[in-house]
Amino acid sequence: MSKQVPETIKKQAKRSFNSKEVKQEKNQKRMKLLKEIHEKAYKRAEKYEKEYLEQEQKLVELKQKALKEGSFYREPEPKLAFIIRIRGIVGVPPKPRKILQLLRLRRIYSGVFIRLNKSSLRMLHFIDPYVTWGYPDVETVRALIYKRGHARVNHQRKIIDSNEMIYDKLQKYDIVCMEDLVHEIFTVGKNFKHANSFLWAFKLKPPVGGFSTVKKSFVNKGEHGNREQYINTLVKKMI
């Protein structure tokens, strides 16, 4: 006479089988999603690269045209700046200190992207002696995000190690991969605020060779203030 299997054992076996099925289904969905993200990322990277090259060619053509006509070509006002804090908290008055906190520049050698407008330029005026800033090119934006980029996930700082992390947090803004993030920041797109908030303030290292003097402005052979396109050279030393 065969022994009857207890009902609890049957239920346990059924639960175990169901949980395996659910896990397999989740894994299949995740693999499908990762494949879709990878395909999107590849296509968008190609699209953006073409866009950047076309913009460069157009700029060269406009400058050449102006030269032939004996005039000057005035480039559009920059929309993006990268700010690096270069001085500590000693002797910082309350107002500049508050602005540094609002911009998430709480530590020396921390850096952030900002949208340039009347309001942000006014803030930069107040904190000018404590920061250096300028206009990053696409290569600098890409290098910062790929090499030093960390995300704000549940108020925690986490390294951006996959497109899936970006997809989870920013898919509703049509930002699904690293190149989308780079493009949104560099072009100061309509979802710049959300993309920038997703990024934790960059922690940079002291530049090779150090700073000459942080008490003088860049135009006076010092370090603080606006260094325009020369910010790209400095960032390369600090990544």
Side-chain angles (χ1 to χ4, degrees):
M1 184 178 178
S2 60
K3 290 184 178 179
Q4 190 175 0
V5 180
E7 194 64 28
T8 53
I9 301 296
K10 287 182 180 179
K11 287 180 179 179
Q12 191 176 1
K14 190 177 180 181
R15 280 198 302 269
S16 177
F17 180 75
N18 288 339
S19 66
K20 281 181 182 178
E21 276 191 333
V22 169
K23 193 178 281 186
Q24 283 178 350
E25 191 178 341
K26 281 184 178 179
N27 284 338
Q28 285 174 354
K29 283 182 179 179
R30 183 175 175 274
M31 292 304 292
K32 187 181 177 182
L33 177 63
L34 289 174
K35 188 180 178 182
E36 287 175 4
I37 294 171
H38 179 74
E39 287 173 357
K40 272 187 181 180
Y42 183 77
K43 287 177 183 177
R44 291 188 181 190
E46 284 189 327
K47 175 190 166 187
Y48 296 144
E49 197 60 37
K50 187 180 177 182
E51 182 184 316
Y52 301 142
L53 285 171
E54 284 175 355
Q55 285 176 351
E56 283 181 19
Q57 283 181 328
K58 189 177 178 181
L59 185 62
V60 170
E61 286 170 7
L62 288 169
K63 284 181 178 179
Q64 288 174 344
K65 185 182 176 182
L67 191 64
K68 284 178 183 178
E69 294 172 353
S71 60
F72 295 96
Y73 172 70
R74 185 178 177 182
E75 292 187 30
E77 290 293 322
K79 297 185 290 182
L80 177 71
F82 186 69
I83 316 171
I84 304 170
R85 183 169 179 172
I86 58 172
R87 291 179 69 178
I89 60 169
V90 178
V92 182
K95 190 163 187 174
R97 184 180 294 188
K98 182 66 176 176
I99 293 170
L100 288 167
Q101 287 175 351
L102 286 171
L103 293 175
R104 300 180 289 158
L105 296 169
R106 294 182 177 87
R107 296 181 180 182
I108 192 169
Y109 304 136
S110 57
V112 292
F113 293 110
I114 66 162
R115 184 201 303 265
L116 286 176
N117 52 35
K118 189 176 179 180
S119 175
S120 60
L121 286 169
R122 184 171 171 78
M123 287 195 292
L124 282 169
H125 172 73
F126 281 106
I127 62 172
D128 192 77
Y130 312 101
V131 299
T132 188
W133 59 283
Y135 316 130
D137 57 29
V138 67
E139 293 305 322
T140 296
V141 174
R142 185 180 284 119
L144 280 164
I145 292 174
Y146 273 87
K147 295 180 181 179
R148 291 278 173 172
H150 285 75
R152 185 187 301 274
V153 180
N154 299 324
H155 304 288
Q156 292 182 326
R157 180 175 180 264
K158 292 192 176 182
I159 191 167
I160 305 172
D161 56 3
S162 69
N163 286 328
E164 192 179 4
M165 183 187 289
I166 297 169
Y167 180 88
D168 287 342
K169 295 293 178 183
L170 299 173
Q171 61 168 310
K172 59 184 173 183
Y173 307 113
D174 197 31
I175 301 171
V176 301
C177 62
M178 290 287 266
E179 284 302 320
D180 278 346
L181 190 57
V182 170
H183 184 263
E184 193 66 26
I185 294 292
F186 177 65
T187 59
V188 191
K190 63 180 181 180
N191 294 311
F192 173 83
K193 181 181 176 181
H194 303 291
N196 200 30
S197 296
F198 170 75
L199 291 169
W200 199 278
F202 295 90
K203 290 184 179 180
L204 305 174
K205 61 184 181 181
V208 178
F211 286 119
S212 55
T213 172
V214 295
K215 292 186 178 180
K216 286 185 180 180
S217 66
F218 183 73
V219 293
N220 291 318
K221 298 182 180 180
E223 299 294 349
H224 75 74
N226 186 6
R227 55 180 70 212
E228 299 183 351
Q229 74 274 13
Y230 294 106
I231 193 69
N232 298 295
T233 306
L234 178 63
V235 170
K236 283 178 185 176
K237 295 178 181 179
M238 299 182 73
I239 288 178

